[in-house]
Amino acid sequence: MMKRQEGLFNFEFIALNAITFFTYCNIAVFFQFHHYLETLPIPSEWNGFLIASFSFAALVVRPIVSPFITSRNSKRWMFISCCLLVGSLTLYDFSTDFWSMTITRLIHGATYVVMGTAVISRIVAIIPKDRSSQAFGLLSVVSLLPYALVPPLLQPLSDYFGGFNGALNISALVMLINLPIMALLKDPEGAVSQKEDHFSVREIVSNLRDPQIGSLLLINMVVWTCFTTIFFFIKGFGDRIDIPNPGWFLTISTVTEMAVRVLAGNFFDRVNKKLLLQLSLLWLAVSYFLMGIVTGPTTFYALGLLLGLGWGVVLPVINGFLFDVSEPRFRALNANLAAEMFQAGFTLGPFLGGMILISYGYIPLFLVSGLVSLLGLPLTLRSTKGSEPIGH
């Protein structure tokens, strides 16, 4: 194991959060990707597939690399994947048809997931057990900040730099900021045995057979699947009901999420996580159902606030809960598996959501999202150990 620095707010934690921020900036820039695809000579029925292919690549690659990327070799993999990410962003300049765009999306998704896996493996090793929800809450705040900052800026950036590809090139330059930050990370001390360096298939299967681990991972996938129906399709819905600059919906929801996690992050570690998880899933389901009554800017932005509150609670609680119930040696692996569920949601959500949207429209899409959110409730019944507050 890495030698853990005392406390949560040390240089390593701050540096890794900075790397996370700049990495997510190049994901948030794809807020208008659905709109951009419509400008290319690609049949619109493939748009959902092309959006989802990024996450599909990550879905396939993460379980392959997760057992082998550890806190000890993560710095090297962060550096390699950062360079590859910069290169993959420039490929969009040359991707104008279905096959070239598919290949670019797959390459981009694969390189992104290596970066994410390396960062998670490093950061989990330095989180104190009694600060798990707070740590994951703060990490998610940093991950969300680009979604608040980038969407409203994307159109002005695209206009100034000659289109969406120009904005992507700027995003590639932003990624280069990560390299000097990575150089400042210290190399782990001490030797490492082969057993510590990766897990056997038997160990991984044994970990996944724990009903609490499996349930929390599935709940994570449910939450992210429903989230994508908002992230990728809210602009089209806002345009349909004549909302000026629908990107502000995500800004409101994201700022709300960040506020909840900053103000209540430590509180999440002192309450019953199981009950809080159930309440937040119910809150999200109702919020999705209410999207059906949106008719103007007031209700549109109000729903952004409500969804932001739900997302602000549910995600750090799931990740903190998963950290608490995991054996110490499996914490980094399970954190990466939770990220795998994130990618699964970003694969299923736009792919299935795109089909629902084309066939039935926006309101049925949001109603289905609410129903899917409710599927997480029975899964919480399998989670028992670790649901009590720390110290109880």
Side-chain angles (χ1 to χ4, degrees):
M1 292 289 292
M2 280 186 64
K3 183 179 179 180
R4 176 175 291 173
Q5 302 178 50
E6 291 298 325
L8 180 62
F9 296 100
N10 50 65
F11 172 77
E12 183 103 349
F13 184 78
I14 295 171
L16 290 168
N17 274 275
I19 292 170
T20 299
F21 171 78
F22 291 118
T23 301
Y24 272 83
C25 281
N26 94 68
I27 302 300
V29 77
F30 285 87
F31 162 69
Q32 291 186 358
F33 189 56
H34 183 266
H35 176 72
Y36 171 69
L37 287 174
E38 293 178 341
T39 68
L40 299 178
I42 299 174
S44 59
E45 59 264 27
W46 289 107
N47 289 350
F49 170 81
L50 290 171
I51 293 172
S53 58
F54 173 93
S55 294
F56 175 76
L59 190 68
V60 172
V61 171
R62 190 182 295 273
I64 296 173
V65 301
S66 290
F68 300 98
I69 299 179
T70 69
S71 60
R72 294 182 179 276
N73 62 22
S74 58
K75 180 178 176 179
R76 178 172 72 249
W77 283 110
M78 278 188 271
F79 185 87
I80 293 171
S81 57
C82 183
C83 294
L84 292 174
L85 271 173
V86 172
S88 67
L89 285 168
T90 64
L91 291 177
Y92 285 90
D93 290 332
F94 311 99
S95 304
T96 57
D97 58 31
F98 173 78
W99 287 110
S100 60
M101 182 61 76
T102 299
I103 293 170
T104 295
R105 293 291 285 170
L106 292 174
I107 293 173
H108 188 193
T111 54
Y112 160 77
V113 79
V114 174
M115 167 71 88
T117 301
V119 172
I120 290 175
S121 295
R122 185 90 172 203
I123 207 166
V124 167
I126 62 172
I127 295 177
K129 180 167 173 43
D130 60 348
R131 308 287 289 278
S132 60
S133 288
Q134 183 183 22
F136 283 110
L138 292 172
L139 181 63
S140 63
V141 166
V142 173
S143 303
L144 286 167
L145 188 56
Y147 293 101
L149 297 176
V150 172
L153 298 176
L154 186 56
Q155 191 59 52
L157 285 172
S158 297
D159 293 340
Y160 187 82
F161 291 103
F164 181 72
N165 285 334
L168 289 185
N169 291 332
I170 295 301
S171 181
L173 291 176
V174 169
M175 277 297 296
L176 293 174
I177 300 174
N178 278 335
L179 296 179
I181 300 175
M182 293 172 188
L184 295 174
L185 295 174
K186 293 181 179 180
D187 293 321
E189 301 175 0
V192 59
S193 68
Q194 184 180 9
K195 181 175 179 61
E196 290 173 314
D197 199 43
H198 65 273
F199 297 105
S200 68
V201 174
R202 177 177 293 183
E203 289 175 311
I204 296 172
V205 171
S206 175
N207 170 61
L208 291 175
R209 289 181 66 183
D210 184 329
Q212 294 186 113
I213 302 299
S215 296
L216 290 168
L217 290 175
L218 287 174
I219 293 170
N220 209 331
M221 183 178 70
V222 164
V223 171
W224 283 116
T225 298
C226 297
F227 171 86
T228 62
T229 62
I230 297 294
F231 180 73
F232 287 113
F233 303 118
I234 194 65
K235 184 183 186 306
F237 178 61
D239 291 340
R240 179 69 59 87
I241 60 175
D242 297 322
I243 302 296
N245 198 351
W248 285 107
F249 182 101
L250 287 179
T251 300
I252 292 171
S253 64
T254 303
V255 169
T256 303
E257 286 185 71
M258 293 189 293
V260 168
R261 292 170 190 181
V262 170
L263 297 175
N266 195 35
F267 169 76
F268 295 154
D269 286 312
R270 301 199 306 267
V271 299
N272 186 306
K273 291 188 177 74
K274 178 179 176 179
L275 177 60
L276 199 57
L277 180 56
Q278 292 169 333
L279 292 174
S280 57
L281 286 171
L282 183 59
W283 180 282
L284 285 172
V286 172
S287 298
Y288 288 122
F289 291 146
L290 290 175
M291 289 295 296
I293 68 171
V294 171
T295 56
T298 301
T299 50
F300 182 78
Y301 294 126
L303 262 296
L305 177 66
L306 291 179
L307 283 167
L309 286 171
W311 292 327
V313 174
V314 72
L315 293 170
V317 169
I318 292 174
N319 290 323
F321 203 164
L322 184 63
F323 181 95
D324 293 346
V325 302
S326 299
E327 293 182 34
R329 66 194 183 108
F330 287 128
R331 282 174 182 160
L333 176 64
N334 286 337
N336 273 306
L337 289 174
E340 174 79 349
M341 296 301 100
F342 161 80
Q343 300 299 342
F346 265 66
T347 301
L348 292 173
F351 182 70
L352 298 178
M355 291 194 295
I356 294 172
L357 180 60
I358 290 175
S359 301
Y360 303 104
Y362 286 101
I363 302 307
L365 174 65
F366 299 136
L367 290 176
V368 170
S369 296
L371 292 173
V372 172
S373 295
L374 293 177
L375 294 178
L377 288 174
L379 291 172
T380 64
L381 301 178
R382 304 183 70 190
S383 301
T384 54
K385 184 183 71 173
S387 61
E388 294 303 320
I390 296 293
H392 284 238

